[in-house]
Amino acid sequence: MKWTVAVLLLHLLHNIKCEQSYVVSNEKLEPFEGDSETLVIFNGLKTVGRERALNGSFKFLGEMNNDDFKVSVELYSSPNGDGDFKRMVMDVPQTSICECFKKFYVQFVQPSVKQGETTNFPLVDEDFCPIPEGDFYIKNILFNTDDWPQQVPRGIVKAIITFFNAGKNVGGLIVVVKIDDRQS
Ligand SMILES: *[C@@H]1O[C@H](CO)[C@@H](O)[C@H](O)[C@H]1NC(C)=O
C-alpha cells in the first residue's frame, strides 16, 4: 500500500517537474506583408548560430487596440518532415489581439524571454492592452517549452500567424519548427 502511494507520488512529481518529452528547434521564419498595408514587420527576425536561437527585431507601426485588431493562427503538421503538410485541429480562429497575446504570447513566448535583457517587449499580464506601437528586440532566445502542451505532434510544424485590422490582413509571420523526441 505504502509502496503504491510512493510510486504514484513519484509519477506525479515526474510529470510536474520533468522537462517536456520533446525538443523544439527553429527551422525557418518567414515574414509576410499585408494585403494593402503592413502594420507588423517581422523581417528583422532571424535564427542564429548552431542552436538556431531567435534573434533580431520586430516592429509594430501603430498601437493595436482590442476592437479593431485580431490575430489568427493556422497550424500545419508534416509528421515525416517531408513538406507534406496537413492542417491541424488546434487552429486559433481570428481572436481579439489582446486576448491572443494574453493566451498565446504568455504561454509560448514569454517564458523564454527576460524583460530588459533578452527583450524590450513589455511584460504581458491580465491588464495588457492595447498592444503598443514600437521597435522591439529579441536577443538569442531558445524556446522554454515548460508551459507548452504535453501532447504535440513530432516532425515539422508550421504556424501561420496573421494580424488583421478591421478584417484586413496587415501582415504576419510564418514560423516553422522541428519537434523531436527528447533523447534521454
Ligand atoms: C542579433 O540581432 C541584432 C539586432 O537586433 C543584431 O545587431 C545582431 O548582429 C544579431 N546577432 C546575430 C548573431 O546575427
Side-chain angles (χ1 to χ4, degrees):
M1 188 62 189
K2 262 188 199 155
W3 176 241
T4 319
V5 172
V7 169
L8 270 175
L9 269 177
L10 271 178
H11 195 70
L12 206 69
L13 272 177
H14 180 84
N15 277 337
I16 293 169
K17 282 276 181 196
C18 237
E19 293 171 302
Q20 295 284 11
S21 59
Y22 55 84
V23 281
V24 174
S25 51
N26 299 308
E27 283 288 300
K28 200 159 76 170
L29 294 171
E30 219 175 283
F32 58 87
E33 297 190 341
D35 289 338
S36 53
E37 58 172 351
T38 305
L39 299 177
V40 293
I41 316 270
F42 292 105
N43 52 20
L45 283 180
K46 301 259 163 7
T47 61
V48 298
R50 200 173 50 85
E51 297 204 283
R52 309 181 72 82
L54 278 189
N55 182 64
S57 58
F58 59 98
K59 248 186 232 188
F60 295 153
L61 296 189
E63 187 179 89
M64 295 187 277
N65 69 63
N66 209 29
D67 292 328
D68 299 323
F69 287 86
K70 292 189 163 45
V71 176
S72 72
V73 184
E74 290 162 55
L75 292 170
Y76 297 85
S77 157
S78 170
N80 303 320
D82 56 6
D84 184 12
F85 283 99
K86 298 234 157 44
R87 188 93 178 241
M88 290 167 61
V89 289
M90 316 132 131
D91 275 0
V92 181
Q94 284 191 33
T95 302
S96 299
I97 194 162
C98 296
E99 308 330 313
C100 224
F101 269 77
K102 285 177 212 172
K103 252 198 197 143
F104 300 102
Y105 179 82
V106 165
Q107 180 180 10
F108 289 95
V109 184
Q110 189 152 275
S112 310
V113 295
K114 257 209 176 111
Q115 277 65 41
E117 277 180 46
T118 56
T119 190
N120 61 343
F121 194 73
L123 187 75
V124 176
D125 62 15
E126 263 315 296
D127 305 318
F128 188 77
C129 206
I131 308 303
E133 171 181 354
D135 283 355
F136 303 104
Y137 65 80
I138 282 185
K139 268 190 205 154
N140 284 313
I141 67 151
L142 292 172
F143 284 120
N144 169 350
T145 56
D146 291 354
D147 292 344
W148 290 30
Q150 284 195 349
Q151 309 291 334
V152 301
R154 304 307 193 253
I156 304 283
V157 171
K158 176 157 78 172
I160 305 180
I161 305 162
T162 310
F163 288 68
F164 298 90
N165 179 18
K168 279 196 292 199
N169 174 347
V170 291
L173 179 67
I174 301 174
V175 181
V176 181
V177 297
K178 190 155 156 278
I179 303 176
D180 292 307
D181 283 323
R182 182 178 291 282
Q183 308 294 323
S184 47

PDB file of all heavy atoms in Angstrom, residues 146-180:
ATOM      1  N   ASP A 146       8.435  24.601 -21.105  1.00  0.00           N
ATOM      2  CA  ASP A 146       7.822  24.086 -19.879  1.00  0.00           C
ATOM      3  C   ASP A 146       6.308  24.288 -19.829  1.00  0.00           C
ATOM      4  O   ASP A 146       5.599  23.440 -19.301  1.00  0.00           O
ATOM      5  CB  ASP A 146       8.443  24.753 -18.640  1.00  0.00           C
ATOM      6  CG  ASP A 146       9.883  24.310 -18.436  1.00  0.00           C
ATOM      7  OD1 ASP A 146      10.343  23.407 -19.181  1.00  0.00           O
ATOM      8  OD2 ASP A 146      10.554  24.874 -17.557  1.00  0.00           O
ATOM      9  N   ASP A 147       5.825  25.411 -20.362  1.00  0.00           N
ATOM     10  CA  ASP A 147       4.386  25.689 -20.321  1.00  0.00           C
ATOM     11  C   ASP A 147       3.670  25.255 -21.591  1.00  0.00           C
ATOM     12  O   ASP A 147       2.481  25.522 -21.765  1.00  0.00           O
ATOM     13  CB  ASP A 147       4.137  27.194 -20.109  1.00  0.00           C
ATOM     14  CG  ASP A 147       4.558  27.650 -18.730  1.00  0.00           C
ATOM     15  OD1 ASP A 147       4.746  26.775 -17.856  1.00  0.00           O
ATOM     16  OD2 ASP A 147       4.696  28.863 -18.512  1.00  0.00           O
ATOM     17  N   TRP A 148       4.387  24.642 -22.505  1.00  0.00           N
ATOM     18  CA  TRP A 148       3.754  24.186 -23.747  1.00  0.00           C
ATOM     19  C   TRP A 148       2.949  22.916 -23.464  1.00  0.00           C
ATOM     20  O   TRP A 148       3.167  22.243 -22.456  1.00  0.00           O
ATOM     21  CB  TRP A 148       4.820  23.909 -24.814  1.00  0.00           C
ATOM     22  CG  TRP A 148       5.501  25.127 -25.363  1.00  0.00           C
ATOM     23  CD1 TRP A 148       5.718  26.311 -24.700  1.00  0.00           C
ATOM     24  CD2 TRP A 148       6.073  25.288 -26.660  1.00  0.00           C
ATOM     25  NE1 TRP A 148       6.387  27.185 -25.525  1.00  0.00           N
ATOM     26  CE2 TRP A 148       6.620  26.589 -26.734  1.00  0.00           C
ATOM     27  CE3 TRP A 148       6.182  24.456 -27.776  1.00  0.00           C
ATOM     28  CZ2 TRP A 148       7.252  27.067 -27.868  1.00  0.00           C
ATOM     29  CZ3 TRP A 148       6.814  24.941 -28.910  1.00  0.00           C
ATOM     30  CH2 TRP A 148       7.334  26.234 -28.954  1.00  0.00           C
ATOM     31  N   PRO A 149       2.032  22.572 -24.372  1.00  0.00           N
ATOM     32  CA  PRO A 149       1.244  21.349 -24.144  1.00  0.00           C
ATOM     33  C   PRO A 149       2.140  20.113 -24.087  1.00  0.00           C
ATOM     34  O   PRO A 149       3.221  20.111 -24.677  1.00  0.00           O
ATOM     35  CB  PRO A 149       0.345  21.275 -25.381  1.00  0.00           C
ATOM     36  CG  PRO A 149       0.401  22.601 -26.034  1.00  0.00           C
ATOM     37  CD  PRO A 149       1.676  23.238 -25.633  1.00  0.00           C
ATOM     38  N   GLN A 150       1.678  19.089 -23.367  1.00  0.00           N
ATOM     39  CA  GLN A 150       2.448  17.841 -23.310  1.00  0.00           C
ATOM     40  C   GLN A 150       2.360  17.073 -24.607  1.00  0.00           C
ATOM     41  O   GLN A 150       3.298  16.411 -25.015  1.00  0.00           O
ATOM     42  CB  GLN A 150       1.943  16.975 -22.162  1.00  0.00           C
ATOM     43  CG  GLN A 150       2.410  17.479 -20.823  1.00  0.00           C
ATOM     44  CD  GLN A 150       2.227  16.462 -19.720  1.00  0.00           C
ATOM     45  OE1 GLN A 150       1.564  15.438 -19.919  1.00  0.00           O
ATOM     46  NE2 GLN A 150       2.789  16.728 -18.573  1.00  0.00           N
ATOM     47  N   GLN A 151       1.192  17.164 -25.241  1.00  0.00           N
ATOM     48  CA  GLN A 151       0.994  16.433 -26.482  1.00  0.00           C
ATOM     49  C   GLN A 151       1.215  17.371 -27.659  1.00  0.00           C
ATOM     50  O   GLN A 151       0.418  18.259 -27.896  1.00  0.00           O
ATOM     51  CB  GLN A 151      -0.449  15.906 -26.564  1.00  0.00           C
ATOM     52  CG  GLN A 151      -0.911  15.136 -25.350  1.00  0.00           C
ATOM     53  CD  GLN A 151      -0.188  13.812 -25.219  1.00  0.00           C
ATOM     54  OE1 GLN A 151       0.270  13.248 -26.209  1.00  0.00           O
ATOM     55  NE2 GLN A 151      -0.048  13.322 -24.002  1.00  0.00           N
ATOM     56  N   VAL A 152       2.301  17.182 -28.358  1.00  0.00           N
ATOM     57  CA  VAL A 152       2.495  17.926 -29.603  1.00  0.00           C
ATOM     58  C   VAL A 152       2.956  16.936 -30.663  1.00  0.00           C
ATOM     59  O   VAL A 152       3.610  15.948 -30.352  1.00  0.00           O
ATOM     60  CB  VAL A 152       3.529  19.080 -29.469  1.00  0.00           C
ATOM     61  CG1 VAL A 152       3.134  20.082 -28.415  1.00  0.00           C
ATOM     62  CG2 VAL A 152       4.920  18.533 -29.191  1.00  0.00           C
ATOM     63  N   PRO A 153       2.593  17.192 -31.929  1.00  0.00           N
ATOM     64  CA  PRO A 153       2.993  16.247 -32.973  1.00  0.00           C
ATOM     65  C   PRO A 153       4.495  16.341 -33.231  1.00  0.00           C
ATOM     66  O   PRO A 153       5.078  17.411 -33.138  1.00  0.00           O
ATOM     67  CB  PRO A 153       2.199  16.735 -34.190  1.00  0.00           C
ATOM     68  CG  PRO A 153       1.893  18.163 -33.923  1.00  0.00           C
ATOM     69  CD  PRO A 153       1.816  18.324 -32.442  1.00  0.00           C
ATOM     70  N   ARG A 154       5.119  15.217 -33.532  1.00  0.00           N
ATOM     71  CA  ARG A 154       6.531  15.227 -33.910  1.00  0.00           C
ATOM     72  C   ARG A 154       6.644  15.559 -35.390  1.00  0.00           C
ATOM     73  O   ARG A 154       5.677  15.440 -36.140  1.00  0.00           O
ATOM     74  CB  ARG A 154       7.175  13.859 -33.624  1.00  0.00           C
ATOM     75  CG  ARG A 154       7.031  13.398 -32.182  1.00  0.00           C
ATOM     76  CD  ARG A 154       7.530  14.446 -31.200  1.00  0.00           C
ATOM     77  NE  ARG A 154       7.693  13.909 -29.857  1.00  0.00           N
ATOM     78  CZ  ARG A 154       6.891  14.183 -28.837  1.00  0.00           C
ATOM     79  NH1 ARG A 154       5.857  14.978 -28.989  1.00  0.00           N
ATOM     80  NH2 ARG A 154       7.126  13.665 -27.651  1.00  0.00           N
ATOM     81  N   GLY A 155       7.829  15.954 -35.779  1.00  0.00           N
ATOM     82  CA  GLY A 155       8.048  16.303 -37.184  1.00  0.00           C
ATOM     83  C   GLY A 155       8.124  17.809 -37.349  1.00  0.00           C
ATOM     84  O   GLY A 155       8.535  18.525 -36.436  1.00  0.00           O
ATOM     85  N   ILE A 156       7.717  18.284 -38.515  1.00  0.00           N
ATOM     86  CA  ILE A 156       7.746  19.723 -38.780  1.00  0.00           C
ATOM     87  C   ILE A 156       6.366  20.309 -38.514  1.00  0.00           C
ATOM     88  O   ILE A 156       5.362  19.747 -38.947  1.00  0.00           O
ATOM     89  CB  ILE A 156       8.132  19.989 -40.260  1.00  0.00           C
ATOM     90  CG1 ILE A 156       9.463  19.332 -40.615  1.00  0.00           C
ATOM     91  CG2 ILE A 156       8.143  21.475 -40.552  1.00  0.00           C
ATOM     92  CD1 ILE A 156      10.669  20.055 -40.121  1.00  0.00           C
ATOM     93  N   VAL A 157       6.336  21.425 -37.770  1.00  0.00           N
ATOM     94  CA  VAL A 157       5.081  22.124 -37.537  1.00  0.00           C
ATOM     95  C   VAL A 157       5.226  23.559 -38.036  1.00  0.00           C
ATOM     96  O   VAL A 157       6.228  24.219 -37.771  1.00  0.00           O
ATOM     97  CB  VAL A 157       4.681  22.109 -36.046  1.00  0.00           C
ATOM     98  CG1 VAL A 157       3.492  23.036 -35.798  1.00  0.00           C
ATOM     99  CG2 VAL A 157       4.325  20.692 -35.597  1.00  0.00           C
ATOM    100  N   LYS A 158       4.223  23.982 -38.787  1.00  0.00           N
ATOM    101  CA  LYS A 158       4.244  25.329 -39.353  1.00  0.00           C
ATOM    102  C   LYS A 158       3.089  26.113 -38.773  1.00  0.00           C
ATOM    103  O   LYS A 158       1.951  25.635 -38.766  1.00  0.00           O
ATOM    104  CB  LYS A 158       4.095  25.205 -40.870  1.00  0.00           C
ATOM    105  CG  LYS A 158       3.999  26.511 -41.597  1.00  0.00           C
ATOM    106  CD  LYS A 158       4.414  26.361 -43.043  1.00  0.00           C
ATOM    107  CE  LYS A 158       3.326  25.735 -43.887  1.00  0.00           C
ATOM    108  NZ  LYS A 158       3.674  25.765 -45.332  1.00  0.00           N
ATOM    109  N   ALA A 159       3.386  27.302 -38.242  1.00  0.00           N
ATOM    110  CA  ALA A 159       2.345  28.180 -37.707  1.00  0.00           C
ATOM    111  C   ALA A 159       2.287  29.432 -38.567  1.00  0.00           C
ATOM    112  O   ALA A 159       3.300  30.106 -38.758  1.00  0.00           O
ATOM    113  CB  ALA A 159       2.652  28.548 -36.261  1.00  0.00           C
ATOM    114  N   ILE A 160       1.107  29.726 -39.100  1.00  0.00           N
ATOM    115  CA  ILE A 160       0.933  30.952 -39.874  1.00  0.00           C
ATOM    116  C   ILE A 160       0.167  31.936 -39.000  1.00  0.00           C
ATOM    117  O   ILE A 160      -1.011  31.723 -38.692  1.00  0.00           O
ATOM    118  CB  ILE A 160       0.166  30.691 -41.187  1.00  0.00           C
ATOM    119  CG1 ILE A 160       0.875  29.599 -41.988  1.00  0.00           C
ATOM    120  CG2 ILE A 160       0.034  31.982 -41.997  1.00  0.00           C
ATOM    121  CD1 ILE A 160       0.187  29.262 -43.298  1.00  0.00           C
ATOM    122  N   ILE A 161       0.875  32.971 -38.560  1.00  0.00           N
ATOM    123  CA  ILE A 161       0.299  33.936 -37.623  1.00  0.00           C
ATOM    124  C   ILE A 161      -0.051  35.193 -38.415  1.00  0.00           C
ATOM    125  O   ILE A 161       0.831  35.860 -38.949  1.00  0.00           O
ATOM    126  CB  ILE A 161       1.308  34.267 -36.513  1.00  0.00           C
ATOM    127  CG1 ILE A 161       1.785  32.970 -35.832  1.00  0.00           C
ATOM    128  CG2 ILE A 161       0.725  35.242 -35.499  1.00  0.00           C
ATOM    129  CD1 ILE A 161       3.062  33.124 -35.036  1.00  0.00           C
ATOM    130  N   THR A 162      -1.352  35.480 -38.524  1.00  0.00           N
ATOM    131  CA  THR A 162      -1.801  36.610 -39.352  1.00  0.00           C
ATOM    132  C   THR A 162      -2.468  37.669 -38.488  1.00  0.00           C
ATOM    133  O   THR A 162      -3.309  37.349 -37.650  1.00  0.00           O
ATOM    134  CB  THR A 162      -2.803  36.132 -40.427  1.00  0.00           C
ATOM    135  OG1 THR A 162      -2.253  34.999 -41.101  1.00  0.00           O
ATOM    136  CG2 THR A 162      -3.098  37.230 -41.435  1.00  0.00           C
ATOM    137  N   PHE A 163      -2.071  38.919 -38.684  1.00  0.00           N
ATOM    138  CA  PHE A 163      -2.676  40.047 -37.979  1.00  0.00           C
ATOM    139  C   PHE A 163      -3.719  40.704 -38.885  1.00  0.00           C
ATOM    140  O   PHE A 163      -3.488  40.858 -40.090  1.00  0.00           O
ATOM    141  CB  PHE A 163      -1.599  41.076 -37.612  1.00  0.00           C
ATOM    142  CG  PHE A 163      -0.682  40.624 -36.507  1.00  0.00           C
ATOM    143  CD1 PHE A 163       0.216  39.574 -36.715  1.00  0.00           C
ATOM    144  CD2 PHE A 163      -0.706  41.239 -35.263  1.00  0.00           C
ATOM    145  CE1 PHE A 163       1.070  39.148 -35.689  1.00  0.00           C
ATOM    146  CE2 PHE A 163       0.144  40.816 -34.238  1.00  0.00           C
ATOM    147  CZ  PHE A 163       1.024  39.781 -34.454  1.00  0.00           C
ATOM    148  N   PHE A 164      -4.852  41.094 -38.319  1.00  0.00           N
ATOM    149  CA  PHE A 164      -5.921  41.737 -39.070  1.00  0.00           C
ATOM    150  C   PHE A 164      -6.293  43.058 -38.423  1.00  0.00           C
ATOM    151  O   PHE A 164      -6.314  43.166 -37.200  1.00  0.00           O
ATOM    152  CB  PHE A 164      -7.183  40.852 -39.077  1.00  0.00           C
ATOM    153  CG  PHE A 164      -6.996  39.515 -39.747  1.00  0.00           C
ATOM    154  CD1 PHE A 164      -6.575  38.413 -39.017  1.00  0.00           C
ATOM    155  CD2 PHE A 164      -7.243  39.367 -41.106  1.00  0.00           C
ATOM    156  CE1 PHE A 164      -6.400  37.173 -39.626  1.00  0.00           C
ATOM    157  CE2 PHE A 164      -7.075  38.134 -41.726  1.00  0.00           C
ATOM    158  CZ  PHE A 164      -6.650  37.036 -40.989  1.00  0.00           C
ATOM    159  N   ASN A 165      -6.571  44.052 -39.289  1.00  0.00           N
ATOM    160  CA  ASN A 165      -7.130  45.318 -38.825  1.00  0.00           C
ATOM    161  C   ASN A 165      -8.427  45.520 -39.576  1.00  0.00           C
ATOM    162  O   ASN A 165      -8.421  45.561 -40.809  1.00  0.00           O
ATOM    163  CB  ASN A 165      -6.156  46.458 -39.118  1.00  0.00           C
ATOM    164  CG  ASN A 165      -6.712  47.807 -38.681  1.00  0.00           C
ATOM    165  OD1 ASN A 165      -7.652  47.880 -37.887  1.00  0.00           O
ATOM    166  ND2 ASN A 165      -6.124  48.870 -39.203  1.00  0.00           N
ATOM    167  N   ALA A 166      -9.539  45.634 -38.841  1.00  0.00           N
ATOM    168  CA  ALA A 166     -10.865  45.773 -39.460  1.00  0.00           C
ATOM    169  C   ALA A 166     -11.079  44.706 -40.531  1.00  0.00           C
ATOM    170  O   ALA A 166     -11.558  44.984 -41.622  1.00  0.00           O
ATOM    171  CB  ALA A 166     -11.036  47.170 -40.045  1.00  0.00           C
ATOM    172  N   GLY A 167     -10.670  43.486 -40.221  1.00  0.00           N
ATOM    173  CA  GLY A 167     -10.911  42.358 -41.114  1.00  0.00           C
ATOM    174  C   GLY A 167      -9.894  42.184 -42.234  1.00  0.00           C
ATOM    175  O   GLY A 167      -9.937  41.211 -42.961  1.00  0.00           O
ATOM    176  N   LYS A 168      -8.963  43.156 -42.378  1.00  0.00           N
ATOM    177  CA  LYS A 168      -7.976  43.053 -43.451  1.00  0.00           C
ATOM    178  C   LYS A 168      -6.620  42.605 -42.941  1.00  0.00           C
ATOM    179  O   LYS A 168      -6.131  43.103 -41.916  1.00  0.00           O
ATOM    180  CB  LYS A 168      -7.828  44.402 -44.172  1.00  0.00           C
ATOM    181  CG  LYS A 168      -8.938  44.613 -45.206  1.00  0.00           C
ATOM    182  CD  LYS A 168      -8.602  45.720 -46.192  1.00  0.00           C
ATOM    183  CE  LYS A 168      -8.603  47.042 -45.459  1.00  0.00           C
ATOM    184  NZ  LYS A 168      -8.736  48.230 -46.252  1.00  0.00           N
ATOM    185  N   ASN A 169      -6.024  41.680 -43.680  1.00  0.00           N
ATOM    186  CA  ASN A 169      -4.686  41.166 -43.371  1.00  0.00           C
ATOM    187  C   ASN A 169      -3.667  42.301 -43.396  1.00  0.00           C
ATOM    188  O   ASN A 169      -3.484  42.950 -44.420  1.00  0.00           O
ATOM    189  CB  ASN A 169      -4.381  40.088 -44.425  1.00  0.00           C
ATOM    190  CG  ASN A 169      -2.972  39.544 -44.337  1.00  0.00           C
ATOM    191  OD1 ASN A 169      -2.110  40.099 -43.670  1.00  0.00           O
ATOM    192  ND2 ASN A 169      -2.739  38.445 -45.041  1.00  0.00           N
ATOM    193  N   VAL A 170      -2.994  42.545 -42.268  1.00  0.00           N
ATOM    194  CA  VAL A 170      -1.993  43.625 -42.217  1.00  0.00           C
ATOM    195  C   VAL A 170      -0.586  43.078 -41.958  1.00  0.00           C
ATOM    196  O   VAL A 170       0.288  43.778 -41.463  1.00  0.00           O
ATOM    197  CB  VAL A 170      -2.351  44.707 -41.170  1.00  0.00           C
ATOM    198  CG1 VAL A 170      -3.578  45.493 -41.615  1.00  0.00           C
ATOM    199  CG2 VAL A 170      -2.559  44.103 -39.781  1.00  0.00           C
ATOM    200  N   GLY A 171      -0.398  41.798 -42.302  1.00  0.00           N
ATOM    201  CA  GLY A 171       0.944  41.225 -42.201  1.00  0.00           C
ATOM    202  C   GLY A 171       1.030  40.130 -41.156  1.00  0.00           C
ATOM    203  O   GLY A 171       0.071  39.868 -40.426  1.00  0.00           O
ATOM    204  N   GLY A 172       2.161  39.476 -41.123  1.00  0.00           N
ATOM    205  CA  GLY A 172       2.325  38.402 -40.160  1.00  0.00           C
ATOM    206  C   GLY A 172       3.623  37.659 -40.333  1.00  0.00           C
ATOM    207  O   GLY A 172       4.570  38.167 -40.962  1.00  0.00           O
ATOM    208  N   LEU A 173       3.626  36.453 -39.794  1.00  0.00           N
ATOM    209  CA  LEU A 173       4.860  35.691 -39.704  1.00  0.00           C
ATOM    210  C   LEU A 173       4.545  34.203 -39.797  1.00  0.00           C
ATOM    211  O   LEU A 173       3.589  33.725 -39.184  1.00  0.00           O
ATOM    212  CB  LEU A 173       5.501  35.991 -38.339  1.00  0.00           C
ATOM    213  CG  LEU A 173       6.800  35.299 -37.983  1.00  0.00           C
ATOM    214  CD1 LEU A 173       7.930  35.773 -38.888  1.00  0.00           C
ATOM    215  CD2 LEU A 173       7.163  35.579 -36.526  1.00  0.00           C
ATOM    216  N   ILE A 174       5.353  33.510 -40.598  1.00  0.00           N
ATOM    217  CA  ILE A 174       5.251  32.049 -40.629  1.00  0.00           C
ATOM    218  C   ILE A 174       6.430  31.499 -39.838  1.00  0.00           C
ATOM    219  O   ILE A 174       7.584  31.861 -40.100  1.00  0.00           O
ATOM    220  CB  ILE A 174       5.287  31.516 -42.075  1.00  0.00           C
ATOM    221  CG1 ILE A 174       4.123  32.113 -42.876  1.00  0.00           C
ATOM    222  CG2 ILE A 174       5.227  29.982 -42.093  1.00  0.00           C
ATOM    223  CD1 ILE A 174       4.140  31.768 -44.350  1.00  0.00           C
ATOM    224  N   VAL A 175       6.134  30.680 -38.850  1.00  0.00           N
ATOM    225  CA  VAL A 175       7.181  30.093 -38.016  1.00  0.00           C
ATOM    226  C   VAL A 175       7.184  28.587 -38.270  1.00  0.00           C
ATOM    227  O   VAL A 175       6.149  27.940 -38.152  1.00  0.00           O
ATOM    228  CB  VAL A 175       6.902  30.335 -36.514  1.00  0.00           C
ATOM    229  CG1 VAL A 175       8.014  29.753 -35.653  1.00  0.00           C
ATOM    230  CG2 VAL A 175       6.727  31.818 -36.232  1.00  0.00           C
ATOM    231  N   VAL A 176       8.337  28.055 -38.639  1.00  0.00           N
ATOM    232  CA  VAL A 176       8.439  26.614 -38.865  1.00  0.00           C
ATOM    233  C   VAL A 176       9.396  26.041 -37.825  1.00  0.00           C
ATOM    234  O   VAL A 176      10.523  26.511 -37.683  1.00  0.00           O
ATOM    235  CB  VAL A 176       8.961  26.316 -40.293  1.00  0.00           C
ATOM    236  CG1 VAL A 176       9.046  24.813 -40.521  1.00  0.00           C
ATOM    237  CG2 VAL A 176       8.062  26.951 -41.335  1.00  0.00           C
ATOM    238  N   VAL A 177       8.914  25.076 -37.067  1.00  0.00           N
ATOM    239  CA  VAL A 177       9.767  24.448 -36.053  1.00  0.00           C
ATOM    240  C   VAL A 177       9.821  22.939 -36.279  1.00  0.00           C
ATOM    241  O   VAL A 177       8.937  22.353 -36.917  1.00  0.00           O
ATOM    242  CB  VAL A 177       9.268  24.718 -34.604  1.00  0.00           C
ATOM    243  CG1 VAL A 177       9.315  26.189 -34.280  1.00  0.00           C
ATOM    244  CG2 VAL A 177       7.892  24.142 -34.369  1.00  0.00           C
ATOM    245  N   LYS A 178      10.899  22.341 -35.751  1.00  0.00           N
ATOM    246  CA  LYS A 178      11.049  20.894 -35.824  1.00  0.00           C
ATOM    247  C   LYS A 178      10.912  20.362 -34.406  1.00  0.00           C
ATOM    248  O   LYS A 178      11.504  20.906 -33.470  1.00  0.00           O
ATOM    249  CB  LYS A 178      12.438  20.579 -36.370  1.00  0.00           C
ATOM    250  CG  LYS A 178      12.680  19.157 -36.720  1.00  0.00           C
ATOM    251  CD  LYS A 178      13.797  19.107 -37.781  1.00  0.00           C
ATOM    252  CE  LYS A 178      14.480  17.778 -37.767  1.00  0.00           C
ATOM    253  NZ  LYS A 178      15.514  17.707 -36.703  1.00  0.00           N
ATOM    254  N   ILE A 179      10.085  19.336 -34.250  1.00  0.00           N
ATOM    255  CA  ILE A 179       9.839  18.784 -32.925  1.00  0.00           C
ATOM    256  C   ILE A 179      10.278  17.323 -32.904  1.00  0.00           C
ATOM    257  O   ILE A 179       9.803  16.511 -33.689  1.00  0.00           O
ATOM    258  CB  ILE A 179       8.342  18.907 -32.556  1.00  0.00           C
ATOM    259  CG1 ILE A 179       7.909  20.382 -32.640  1.00  0.00           C
ATOM    260  CG2 ILE A 179       8.083  18.342 -31.160  1.00  0.00           C
ATOM    261  CD1 ILE A 179       6.436  20.619 -32.401  1.00  0.00           C
ATOM    262  N   ASP A 180      11.251  17.040 -32.039  1.00  0.00           N
ATOM    263  CA  ASP A 180      11.785  15.677 -31.934  1.00  0.00           C
ATOM    264  C   ASP A 180      11.593  15.168 -30.521  1.00  0.00           C
ATOM    265  O   ASP A 180      11.528  15.944 -29.569  1.00  0.00           O
ATOM    266  CB  ASP A 180      13.295  15.675 -32.218  1.00  0.00           C
ATOM    267  CG  ASP A 180      13.602  16.008 -33.663  1.00  0.00           C
ATOM    268  OD1 ASP A 180      13.052  15.353 -34.551  1.00  0.00           O
ATOM    269  OD2 ASP A 180      14.396  16.953 -33.879  1.00  0.00           O
TER     270      ASP A 180
END
